[in-house]
Amino acid sequence: MKKNAAQVAYFMRPMGMEDIPTIARWFSNFDDIALFDRNLPVPVGQEAVFESWKPALEYTEPPRSLWFVAEDEDGNPAGVGGLQSINYIHGDAVLPMFIDRPARTNGLATGMTINLIDLAFGQLRLHRVSTFFRADHDATANVIAKVGFREEGRVREGWFAGGKHHDVVQVGLLRSEWQQGCEALREELKANSGIELRLEGIEA
């Protein structure tokens, strides 16, 4: 029997190359990954996924990207998310994410987003976080709106999937905006979903 959201605890740990087989399995469903990634023209195999992720997972000082895997209490991967293109001069980063189908609509995406934004604005001291999504992807749009991102522009019909062109929505969030509403958002997530989510592997 599938556990409901109130019964599931997740934790986020740093992603490693050992996670590539899981990522490759998720990315083999082209229609599904096309909701999250506009850079894959065709389904890709494990070796191609390995090569594409290798630069993002290699350690640099300071880090230019930080990626995490969310696992349920049984150790099953449920999603990946991170901060990439981290720029310490301008104080910004891009926040991408992918949630596996069984873990969608239960609050995990919102919880992961909260943790990543806290990391960006708290420990990394960044000024802004941005992301983009396909305009018809309502689930992502709902998370984006709930967290407080503001639309900053659109690339008209810049995302081709399923035989159609869709708008690319570009959004951003400033640290000052996040500080105004983050505590209320955490309480709302806890009350409505029961998701317990811990971020591990990052020193305070």
Side-chain angles (χ1 to χ4, degrees), residues 60-163:
T60 62
E61 182 59 46
R64 297 300 305 273
S65 63
L66 293 167
W67 280 91
F68 298 87
V69 174
E71 293 182 338
D72 65 21
E73 55 195 342
D74 297 320
N76 300 311
V80 293
L83 300 170
Q84 66 180 20
S85 302
I86 302 172
N87 188 308
Y88 298 95
I89 296 175
H90 300 294
D92 59 29
V94 178
L95 193 162
M97 187 177 303
F98 176 87
I99 305 296
D100 194 18
R101 281 184 177 273
R104 294 175 194 170
T105 72
N106 69 358
L108 177 59
T110 304
M112 289 181 68
T113 302
I114 290 172
N115 274 359
L116 291 169
I117 293 174
D118 278 342
L119 174 62
F121 292 148
Q123 289 157 266
L124 299 184
R125 303 291 183 182
L126 300 181
H127 179 68
R128 60 172 281 121
V129 172
S130 62
T131 192
F132 63 90
F133 61 96
R134 211 172 85 185
D136 68 320
H137 193 187
D138 294 336
T140 296
N142 289 337
V143 172
I144 290 299
K146 183 184 298 183
V147 172
F149 281 91
R150 299 185 184 183
E151 183 172 332
E152 297 178 334
R154 285 184 177 239
V155 178
R156 295 180 300 155
E157 300 187 1
W159 194 315
F160 183 76

